[in-house]
Amino acid sequence: VTGASRGIGYFTALELARLGAHVIAVARTVGGLEELDDDIKALGGTATLVPLDLSDMKAIDALGGQIHERWGKLDILVANAGVLGVISPISHIKAKEFDKVMTVNLDATWRLARSVEPLLRASDAGRAILLSSGVAHSCRPFWGAYAISKAAVETLGRVWAAELVNTSVRINSVNPGATRTAMRAQAVPGEDPSTLPDPRDVAKKIVKL
């Protein structure tokens, strides 16, 4: 589970652990990973913590090899981590901001897919869940970089699923909808968070896949 230190990723990891999975929790924030580890242990579950910045492509490549060496397979990938970028007209976005969104949201997801596909194939029923967003289709003004990245991730998922159609691996894109997360608060600062679904509830729906 990437982006496992908070929000949807945190509660997806927790729910998977509750159901018996050993969770490989990936995130930049060590403190959040340690808190997750404590909560998983409290449930009687187990986790491996991987502090990793998803803009580090070589580290993503190495992660697949490390999983292979230790477990020989991967049953589930939840590619949840993402960044919003700036809310701005497309013509005003700085190149480095646009590149950062594409690197973390799209490039890292492709790199993860490439790194773990052999591991998912080694599972008896490998599953990959790619987190998307409704803005991939609504093309919401001023959300350009994020919307473009998520539209690309959905296309990646469709292509990947088509390539693996004759295997036991299944790929799904999930649009969680507006959810009570830090990213949502950043995107819509005037919104009342109490009106939004809790990430715990979203996580339970993701885990069913």
Side-chain angles (χ1 to χ4, degrees):
V1 181
T2 67
S5 63
R6 63 180 183 176
I8 293 171
Y10 187 97
F11 290 108
T12 299
L14 199 60
E15 181 68 6
L16 285 166
R18 187 184 70 80
L19 294 171
H22 175 81
V23 177
I24 303 168
V26 178
R28 288 180 303 169
T29 309
V30 174
L33 288 175
E34 291 175 343
E35 183 181 338
L36 172 66
D37 191 41
D38 290 342
D39 287 346
I40 286 176
K41 286 177 179 175
L43 293 173
T46 60
T48 296
L49 307 183
V50 182
L52 188 153
D53 187 332
L54 287 178
S55 64
D56 185 344
M57 299 300 157
K58 290 184 178 179
I60 294 174
D61 293 346
L63 180 61
Q66 291 160 359
I67 293 171
H68 173 73
E69 288 178 9
R70 186 162 177 182
W71 294 285
K73 66 170 184 171
L74 181 68
D75 297 310
I76 305 161
L77 167 69
V78 182
N80 161 77
V83 294
L84 177 66
V86 294
I87 303 297
S88 169
I90 285 176
S91 59
H92 293 183
I93 301 172
K94 294 179 179 178
K96 66 178 182 179
E97 288 287 350
F98 190 88
D99 290 346
K100 180 181 178 181
V101 173
M102 293 302 152
T103 296
V104 175
N105 295 1
L106 176 59
D107 295 357
T109 301
W110 162 69
R111 203 86 171 216
L112 274 167
R114 189 181 73 159
S115 187
V116 306
E117 181 182 309
L119 301 166
L120 291 170
R121 285 174 174 265
S123 171
D124 56 355
R127 298 290 182 263
I129 310 296
L130 312 182
L131 269 288
S132 185
S133 169
V135 297
H137 304 279
S138 66
C139 302
R140 187 170 181 171
F142 311 116
W143 290 50
Y146 184 73
I148 292 163
S149 72
K150 289 301 184 179
V153 167
E154 285 199 8
T155 299
L156 184 159
R158 290 191 181 100
V159 170
W160 196 18
E163 290 173 351
L164 298 180
V165 69
N166 293 322
T167 74
S168 61
V169 179
R170 295 293 175 263
I171 315 295
N172 282 287
S173 293
V174 174
N175 168 20
T179 308
R180 195 184 312 163
T181 63
M183 182 184 288
R184 180 69 184 189
Q186 178 190 353
V188 191
E191 191 172 47
D192 179 359
S194 67
T195 63
L196 300 176
D198 191 284
R200 292 174 180 83
D201 299 324
V202 174
K204 289 178 181 177
K205 294 177 181 178
I206 291 171
V207 168
K208 286 182 179 179
L209 295 170

